Structures are given as C-alpha cells and as structure tokens.
Amino acid sequence: MENGEASLTTCLRFKEQKPMQNPKLTAKQRKETKQQNPKTTKGRQKIEIKEIKEENKRQVTFSKRRTGLFKKAAELSVLCGAQVGIITFSRCQRIYAFGNVKTLIESYLRMTPVMLRSYYGGDVESGGGDGDGRMWWEREVESVPEEEMDEYMKGLNGLRENLWARICEMGGDPTVQVNAQVCEDLMAPVNWKMTDENLTVRNDQGQAGYDGY
Amino acid sequence: MENGEASLTTCLRFKEQKPMQNPKLTAKQRKETKQQNPKTTKGRQKIEIKEIKEENKRQVTFSKRRTGLFKKAAELSVLCGAQVGIITFSRCQRIYAFGNVKTLIESYLRMTPVMLRSYYGGDVESGGGDGDGRMWWEREVESVPEEEMDEYMKGLNGLRENLWARICEMGGDPTVQVNAQVCEDLMAPVNWKMTDENLTVRNDQGQAGYDGY
DNA sequence: TACTATCCATAATT
DNA sequence: AATTATGGATAGTA
C-alpha cells in the first residue's frame, strides 16, 4: 500500500502546514484574507471506489454523481444524436430515470430474442410461423382450426404466463402494482435543458428540498 | 457573438505565438525539447453542446463519452450501492448497454402501472379480480366457466395483442427479431472491472479494432 | 446549500 | 491508437 501511505502523508503534511481556516473569522474576513492565503480547503481528494459506509455521505454522493451522470448522458445524446436511457434504483428502491426510458425499453425488448417463447412449446417456431408469415401467437383466434384449438389455447395461456413471469421475474407479489409516477418523454433530442425536476423521478411525493435518496 | 470572437482570437493568438510543433522533428527529438517548451498541443478545448456534424468526429466522441459514461455509472453503483442500467442506441441503432439491463427493465415495468391492461376491457379490474385475489388473466383456463369462455378468450387474445403492440410500439416489423447478443449480468455490485469488452454490446459481429459506433 | 481546490475526462493533436 | 493540456466534475469543507 505504498500509494495509500503516500497520500496519507500528503494529507497530514497539508494539515500540519496549513490549518484549513480559522473558525473565529467571519465570512467577510475570510474573503479578504483570500488574496494572501488562497488555500482555504483541501479541495477534491481522490477517493477509492468502494461502497461508502456513512449513510449521509452516501446519499450526498449519490445525489451529486447521479446529477453528473444524467448531465453526461444528455450531452452524449445531443452531441452524437444517440438515444440514451438510464434507470437507477437507489438502495431503498427509489427509481430515478433519465431519457425516454419507455421507448428505449421497447426497442431493447424488440431486439432481444428471448422475449417471446412459448412456456410449454419451447422456442418460437423459426422461419415465420404457419405459412402466412406470422408467428402462431400472431394469428387471429378465429383462424385457428378447431382441431388445433386446444393446443393453441395451451400455448397462448403459456405465453401469457411466460410474459407475466418474465415481467415479475425479480420476485415480489405480481399483483402489487406500485403506482409510480413515471416520466416518459423527458429528453428532447436537441435543446434539452437540464433541471433537477426534469431528471428526477420519484415513487412518492418527497418533501420539497429533500432529495430523498 | 462576443464569446465566439473572443475564443477565436485566443485560438489564433495561440497559433501565431506558438506553432504547435515542428513536424520535421522526430518523436525522440520532440520528447527532448519538452523541457524547454512544454506546450505542444492546445489540449482540451471547450466545445458547444450541439450535434457534431462530422461523421468521423462524432463516432470518436461517441466512443469516448460512452466509455466515460459507463465508467461513471459503475462508480456510482459501487460507491452508493445502487443499481444502474444504461441503454444506448447509436444513430444506426446499434445497442450499447451497461449493467444488468434485463433485471432493471423488469423492475421498472413492474413499477409501471400501464403495463397490463386488457385490449378490449379497458382497465384491469381493480381490487384483486374475481374473488380469489387474482386478476382475470391470472386464472387457469380450466377454471373459467363455460359461459364466460368466449369473453375470456377475447380478453386473453386482446391482452396478447396489447402486450405485443406495446413491445412493438416503436414501429418496424414485429416479426423481425434481430439476434442481438445481449449482455445480462455484466456488473457485479462490488469489484466491478471496467473493460471495453464487458461494456460494449454489438448487434452484429463488428470487425475487431473498429468500434463500429 | 455553496464554495474551492483538486483530479479526472476528454478535445485537440500527432 | 497515444499523448497532452485544459475544462469540468466533485470531495471536502463551511
């Protein structure tokens, strides 16, 4: 740990040589003495990337860095004409989302081949289904021959279960639907303005002025 | 446009006073002259946040900033014990994703009340369904009374269409399923290591060494 | 919350 | 791709 020791030494030396600030001085006095001794804080120090234990510090960091992350995402989107969506769950499962998350999720799922598979029948029949270019689960109920009806029902039922299972895979009671206020079209592709209100999505009505973590 | 003029002036002055570098010098010679004249480039300059027109420059910026964004997301996740997922579509609809996107999407959808509504029947019946605490679409086919079967079928069929419609809402041919190689569990909560291979998700097999945008 | 010194991401350049 | 100098994000403090 030569590195750690080195930075510790630096830190101590700093403290010994320059006591940060005389707490007895008023703000005005501090401002006046700035010219002679401009160093009033240690400024930003390097931190190790590991979980922050202190609850309060962690909340502050989460708030600051989340804001920074969303700002970077907005810049990336504008500069490069890309769509960017971010979903964040804080420790206490509060959602913070950035971008047109709903649309992006749908695009994402559409490009994910595992989405629609029959629960009972294994993989979706490849090659376009039953001769008319549609998958079996795309056919009208009325077009299913009577003799295939039972199998079709089973498949459809399984598909429904499978979809629901996928949605609820994370656990928890599937019948409980948290009534989240979900922002959906936050980010215009150009001239997007960054405000905390635009960025932050809350599960409940947090008190104003308290970030809520 | 005082600002633009000012920065232009600055730029010109720099060029006039300090020609960046003599192109005739070898790398070794440049390194040796560093001590006398340390300024060899203009370094990072301030840019306006607007769409980059030059294709090549935009690709480079997208690659750099995407990497930076994902790194920030990883740090946020580790420092604050939060789950973070990012979905990015480049201009040419190439997916780049970060984090356990699948899981986060499922959580997100679970907290979104609009997910499951009957296509025909309007809203899901509130209050727990038909007396056994389950929604109608959760019931086994076998438990549906004969006289309700037709309506049930219609509802189920509608539900299926509704789900699929939601998934495909973005447009495009729903039967086309791009075989995306989707990373699913990229980010361990702690000790997560940042490598380009871990971060980048491609829709196709790009040539090695070419970022592909 | 606001400030400030520091450090890191990245625009420009090779 | 690699390098360098700058600009902006942010850790620490008040």
Side-chain angles (χ1 to χ4, degrees), chain A residues 3 22 25 64 78 86 93 97 119 129 142 197 202 204:
Chain A
N3 238 320
N22 187 340
L25 292 174
K64 282 183 175 180
V78 173
I86 304 182
Q93 298 306 301
Y119 191 71
E142 292 73 19
E197 196 177 11
R202 294 203 170 93
D204 54 20

Side-chain angles (χ1 to χ4, degrees), chain B residues 117-131:
Chain B
R117 296 188 175 196
S118 167
Y119 190 73
Y120 297 109
D123 285 40
V124 167
E125 198 176 336
S126 58
D130 297 270

Side-chain angles (χ1 to χ4, degrees), chain A residues 2-188:
Chain A
E2 291 138 336
N3 238 320
E5 261 187 278
S7 66
L8 180 63
T9 309
T10 307
C11 182
L12 285 175
R13 195 159 356 129
F14 182 93
K15 278 201 166 170
E16 283 156 9
Q17 291 182 345
K18 299 198 180 203
M20 214 110 310
Q21 185 175 301
N22 187 340
K24 295 280 177 358
L25 292 174
T26 66
K28 197 177 172 225
Q29 283 174 314
R30 273 206 301 275
K31 205 164 189 181
E32 281 162 356
T33 50
K34 276 269 177 63
Q35 307 307 323
Q36 303 144 236
N37 186 12
K39 295 256 170 59
T40 56
T41 73
K42 277 193 295 177
R44 174 178 174 177
Q45 299 296 296
K46 186 170 185 175
I47 60 163
E48 198 187 342
I49 302 300
K50 66 175 183 186
E51 181 158 7
I52 298 171
K53 297 298 179 195
E54 306 97 292
E55 175 90 1
N56 198 52
K57 196 178 173 190
R58 193 174 60 232
Q59 288 183 13
V60 172
T61 299
F62 183 68
S63 180
K64 282 183 175 180
R65 279 178 171 260
R66 178 169 41 77
T67 304
L69 186 72
F70 286 5
K71 191 179 170 198
K72 289 276 184 194
E75 291 184 355
L76 178 64
S77 172
V78 173
L79 286 170
C80 305
Q83 290 177 283
V84 182
I86 304 182
I87 308 173
T88 298
F89 286 85
S90 72
R91 271 265 191 93
C92 47
Q93 298 306 301
R94 198 178 291 252
I95 300 181
Y96 297 89
F98 168 85
N100 195 337
V101 172
K102 190 183 130 199
T103 300
L104 282 168
I105 283 178
E106 279 158 1
S107 299
Y108 183 86
L109 291 178
R110 198 157 63 79
M111 299 179 89
T112 306
V114 297
M115 184 57 190
L116 287 175
R117 295 189 177 196
S118 166
Y119 191 71
Y120 297 110
D123 284 42
V124 168
E125 197 177 335
S126 58
D130 297 272
D132 59 350
R134 293 192 294 172
M135 300 300 183
W136 66 266
W137 32 263
E138 282 192 292
R139 293 163 63 188
E140 306 295 324
V141 179
E142 292 73 19
S143 75
V144 180
E146 191 67 30
E147 60 269 25
E148 292 180 20
M149 197 58 193
D150 188 50
E151 202 185 347
Y152 178 81
M153 272 301 290
K154 266 190 186 165
L156 196 55
N157 201 30
L159 176 62
R160 181 207 60 185
E161 287 179 15
N162 188 34
L163 282 165
W164 189 236
R166 267 183 57 85
I167 292 161
C168 300
E169 219 162 48
M170 270 297 280
D173 185 353
T175 64
V176 174
Q177 298 194 353
V178 178
N179 203 347
Q181 285 287 334
V182 181
C183 297
E184 287 177 359
D185 279 286
L186 299 179
M187 182 183 59

